[in-house]
Amino acid sequence: MKVQPKNRRLGVMLSGRGSNFEAIADNIARGALDAEIAVVISNVESARGLAIARERAFDTVVIPSRGITRESFDAQVIEALNERNVGLVVLAGFMRVFSPRMTAAFPNLMVNIHPSLLPSFPGVDVQRQALEYGVKFSGCTVHLVTDTLDGGPILLQAAVPVLEDDTPDTLAERILNEEHRIYSEAIGLVLDGRFDLEGRRVRRMDL
């Protein structure tokens, strides 16, 4: 199945510091990624990433998620994205699970980055999980978003060795460097339609 957004307009969603958002914006600014950030949406008014987006003069929207149903929240998000003609939704540290309403509105047109080599260690507190399990390699995964938490088809992965003296923080920092590297690459892959989707399997067309 061919997957390609209708345009190159990104809707970035974040809940925290927004370092992946910054890396994506920097890559666009220097011409390494052919895309446009149409809007930055956060469910947290105090999110550092939201402040950075405002400083950089991006269109920003706050949609508080506390105290409302997932379906109601998702309906507001979908409206904001459609109003701005967004082609691809980019989750950059967005800490809320979507309802099927959202994934149906953007089928295979949402991407997320997770700080582990999925399917290992989905969810939260990932680096601590990896260290306690004793893995020798961790890393990050860019995947399409489905109704299964951190379970969508895998676009790209990068491996990071686990060092003997690693803590969750030191491991997370090295993984974050790889996140900044591969996320824009994966977004470009989707925007260019350079893959076919066969079940769960992403087959790249440029290799």
Side-chain angles (χ1 to χ4, degrees):
M1 178 176 66
K2 181 75 170 177
V3 176
Q4 187 168 13
K6 61 184 178 181
N7 59 44
R8 308 183 80 86
R9 291 172 59 80
L10 308 181
V12 179
M13 301 192 64
L14 54 83
S15 299
R17 59 182 174 172
S19 69
N20 270 304
F21 151 64
E22 281 193 275
I24 292 165
D26 288 344
N27 281 326
I28 293 172
R30 65 185 180 89
L33 175 62
D34 180 12
E36 174 189 0
I37 295 177
V39 65
V40 178
I41 299 175
S42 181
N43 61 326
V44 180
E45 171 67 44
S46 60
R48 176 178 173 272
L50 193 65
I52 292 169
R54 288 168 174 162
E55 289 172 3
R56 298 179 69 150
F58 288 112
D59 184 14
T60 62
V61 176
V62 178
I63 304 176
S65 57
R66 184 169 297 178
I68 64 174
T69 65
R70 288 182 185 174
E71 290 76 11
S72 177
F73 175 81
D74 291 357
Q76 294 179 61
V77 170
I78 292 166
E79 181 179 9
L81 294 169
N82 285 338
E83 283 177 352
R84 291 158 179 84
N85 193 29
V86 165
L88 182 66
V89 181
V90 177
L91 307 185
F94 183 68
M95 304 303 290
R96 184 176 171 90
V97 177
F98 288 118
S99 71
R101 181 172 189 169
M102 183 69 181
T103 51
F106 291 90
N108 296 318
L109 295 174
M110 291 196 293
V111 291
N112 183 47
I113 191 158
H114 183 75
S116 79
L117 294 175
L118 292 172
S120 297
F121 313 123
V124 298
D125 206 14
V126 173
Q127 287 78 32
R128 187 172 301 281
Q129 290 186 59
L131 291 174
E132 289 177 351
Y133 200 86
V135 298
K136 303 306 180 184
F137 285 87
S138 187
C140 51
T141 303
V142 184
H143 64 92
L144 299 175
V145 177
T146 65
D147 292 337
T148 302
L149 178 65
D150 296 327
I154 292 170
L155 291 166
L156 286 178
Q157 292 183 305
V160 173
V162 177
L163 306 180
E164 291 298 326
D165 59 349
D166 260 332
T167 66
D169 287 341
T170 60
L171 180 57
E173 189 63 30
R174 293 205 315 284
I175 291 173
L176 189 62
N177 290 334
E178 291 300 301
E179 291 182 40
H180 292 170
R181 182 179 67 83
I182 71 168
Y183 208 177
S184 290
E185 181 182 350
I187 291 168
L189 186 73
V190 178
L191 292 177
D192 293 340
R194 288 184 283 125
F195 71 92
D196 285 327
L197 190 59
E198 299 178 6
R200 287 194 48 82
R201 192 167 185 182
V202 172
R203 292 187 175 275
R204 291 184 61 164
M205 299 167 60
D206 57 343
L207 296 178

